Amino acid sequence: QPFIRLEGVSKTYRFGGKEFLAVSDVTMDIEEGQLVALVGPSGCGKSTLLKVLAGLHNHDSGTVQIGNEVSPFTPGRDIGMVFQQALLLKWRTILDNILLPAEILGLPMAASRERARDLIEMVGIANFADAYPSQLSGGMQQRASIARSLVHDPKLILMDEPFGALDALTRERMNLELMRIWKESGKTILFVTHGIQEAVFLGSKVAVLTAGPARMAAHFDVNLPEP
Ligand code: ADP
Ligand code: ADP
C-alpha cells in the first residue's frame, strides 16, 4: 500500500450560486520518501489539491488516504506546510517561530527546542536563531519556514510554490538546498510549482495537472540526477 493514495478526487467550489470545478478526478499514488513535484498552469487546482491533503478543504468525491488515515482529516496534525510567503511572526525570534507548531500541538518543549536547534542548523541559518524575521533575507526566511514545517516531525510536507516570491538566482539556490534538506530529512514532500523545469529538476516523481474543463492528472517518474 502506497503512503498516499488519491483516487478519483474532485473538488468544486460553490460561491454566489455558481460552481467552480477546481480539481477533477485526480488519481495518484505517492510512495514514502518521494519528492513529488505537482506542476501545471495557474488555476488548474494545485493549491486546492494541497489543501485537501492538508485537511483544510473537504473534497466532494473520491478517496484520499494518507498512511492509515482516510479523509476527512483534522488539519495540521501530521503535516508540515510551507507557503509562498514565509509567514513568520515578526515579534518572535527565528527559533521561536520554528517552535510554533510544536507549541500549538502541545509537544514537550525541551525536546522540541533541541529539535528546532538541529533543524535551524540543517537549513543553514543557525547564526540567526535569536534574530527577528526582519533581519533575514527572503531566502533565509523561507529556510526558517521549512524548519518550522519539520519541527513536529510530520511524515508529509506540503509546499505551495515555496520559492515563487524569490528572485530567479535565489530560487535556484533554494531548489538545491531543498534537494539536500529532502535527502537529509527523508521526508515525503509534495511540492507545487508552475515551472516545469523546476518540477523535473526537483521531483523524483512529477505529476502534471492540466487546465480546462476536463482536468486530468498525468504523472511520470524521474530518475534523479546526482547533484
Ligand atoms: P470545505 O472546502 O471543506 O467545504 P470551506 O469552509 O473551506 O470548507 O468552504 C466551504 C465552501 O465555501 C466551499 O465549498 C467554497 O465554495 C466556499 N468558499 C470557501 N472559501 C471561499 C473563497 N475564498 N471564495 C469563495 N468561496 C469560498
Ligand atoms: P492553482 O493552485 O493550480 O493555481 P487553485 O487550486 O488555486 O489552482 O484554483 C483552482 C480553481 O479553483 C481556479 O479556477 C480558482 O479560481 C478556483 N478557486 C480556488 N479557490 C477558490 C475558492 N475558495 N472559491 C472559489 N473558487 C476557487
Side-chain angles (χ1 to χ4, degrees), residues 86-180:
L87 306 174
L88 302 172
L89 301 176
K90 60 174 187 274
W91 60 88
R92 281 184 162 233
T93 64
I94 295 300
L95 189 74
D96 285 344
N97 265 285
I98 292 172
L99 272 168
L100 204 61
E103 260 178 62
I104 290 169
L105 293 171
L107 301 182
M109 264 339 222
S112 298
R113 196 162 276 274
E114 205 164 300
R115 188 171 160 76
R117 291 235 173 246
D118 289 345
L119 287 169
I120 205 170
E121 184 105 20
M122 183 174 85
V123 300
I125 51 169
N127 293 340
F128 294 86
D130 300 321
Y132 287 87
S134 63
Q135 297 172 279
L136 275 65
S137 69
M140 282 153 70
Q141 291 189 27
Q142 225 25 325
R143 287 167 193 254
S145 92
I146 292 172
R148 182 185 55 195
S149 77
L150 291 163
V151 77
H152 52 305
D153 202 20
K155 288 218 172 66
L156 173 65
I157 313 292
L158 302 171
M159 300 189 166
D160 198 352
E161 300 198 48
F163 310 138
L166 302 174
D167 63 88
L169 242 156
T170 310
R171 195 159 62 227
E172 271 181 44
R173 274 217 322 269
M174 290 302 293
N175 281 335
L176 284 168
E177 281 293 301
L178 176 62
M179 194 86 109
R180 182 183 60 74

Side-chain angles (χ1 to χ4, degrees), residues 38 40 42 46-47 50 82-85 142 158-166 171 190-195 198:
L38 185 58
S42 277
K46 304 182 295 292
S47 292
L50 229 59
V82 179
F83 303 94
Q84 186 165 348
Q85 307 294 333
Q142 225 25 325
L158 302 171
M159 300 189 166
D160 198 352
E161 300 198 48
F163 310 138
L166 302 174
R171 195 159 62 227
L190 186 57
F191 180 97
V192 164
T193 173
H194 57 252
E198 193 170 63

